[in-house]
Amino acid sequence: MELQKGRPKYTAGRLEKEIRTYDLLDKLGVAYERVDHEAAMTMEVCQEIDKVLQATICKNLFLCNRQETKFYLLMIPDTKVSFAKPEYMEKFLDITPGSVSVLGLMNDTENHVQLLIDEDVLKGEFIGCHPCINTSSIRFHTSDLVEKVLPAVNHEFIKVKL
């Protein structure tokens, strides 16, 4: 695994939702680095990726209330807390289990999902996440998430302490 600057040179074989992620970040002028890797299905694998990214790797939990009428995306450090059904992730965020990412909020145009961010995530210089697919990981400044990305995708967050 090697840290690369910006979008991949060649996009053949990459999913359109991953390319949309790079398009959004580039459009907003968000500088980012990425590392390509095999599918990251567990937090243990993500911790290996974290060593390369040197960023706060978040556990991203897609949650809902018992009635399945309210949906939340919770970003917390991987050392804390756990899930909504996979079909809701695909319906609202166009992502699958193992690929959950704050960047999936760009697909939630009707704001079904409330973003919750643990205060410890906000203290980090960088955010590390998937570009809506778990075969790549990227990092960008936490301030860019709050000041550029979330306003652009029309989502606000609630700061939580867990």
Side-chain angles (χ1 to χ4, degrees):
M1 289 187 290
E2 185 178 325
L3 201 57
Q4 305 285 322
K5 289 200 179 282
R7 72 172 48 238
K9 287 182 185 178
Y10 306 103
T11 58
R14 293 184 186 261
L15 297 178
E16 196 270 328
K17 59 187 169 185
E18 179 182 358
I19 303 307
R20 277 197 321 260
T21 301
Y22 302 133
D23 289 344
L24 172 68
L25 295 174
D26 292 345
K27 176 183 167 189
L28 296 173
V30 173
Y32 59 95
E33 297 170 290
R34 54 164 243 291
V35 60
D36 294 328
H37 48 75
E38 295 297 318
M41 298 301 290
T42 67
M43 288 310 295
E44 291 75 23
V45 173
C46 289
Q47 288 168 349
E48 292 301 312
I49 297 164
D50 181 31
K51 291 176 186 174
V52 176
L53 287 179
Q54 297 181 14
T56 302
I57 296 294
C58 294
K59 186 179 287 185
N60 294 283
L61 305 178
F62 188 63
L63 308 168
C64 66
N65 64 359
R66 188 173 299 275
Q67 298 79 19
E68 298 181 347
T69 57
K70 301 272 186 185
F71 298 88
Y72 306 91
L73 179 60
L74 173 63
M75 293 176 64
I76 58 171
D78 65 353
T79 56
K80 298 188 179 184
V81 166
S82 282
F83 294 106
K85 294 177 183 173
E87 56 263 27
Y88 289 125
M89 283 188 256
E90 291 188 50
K91 178 179 178 180
F92 297 133
L93 302 177
D94 191 23
I95 49 182
T96 54
S99 300
V100 178
S101 168
V102 65
L103 294 170
L105 292 174
M106 70 180 171
N107 302 315
D108 181 28
T109 58
E110 296 181 14
N111 289 81
H112 292 284
V113 180
Q114 172 67 60
L115 177 62
L116 309 173
I117 305 178
D118 187 273
E119 66 183 8
D120 291 338
V121 170
L122 295 170
K123 292 176 186 175
E125 180 180 2
F126 292 101
I127 292 290
C129 63
H130 295 305
C132 296
I133 188 70
N134 65 359
T135 54
S136 280
S137 296
I138 61 175
R139 79 171 179 185
F140 53 92
H141 284 95
T142 304
S143 59
D144 283 337
L145 172 69
V146 173
E147 298 166 12
K148 295 179 181 179
V149 176
L150 293 179
V153 299
N154 196 30
H155 276 76
E156 295 180 358
F157 69 93
I158 297 172
K159 181 169 75 170
V160 296
K161 180 177 182 170
L162 297 175

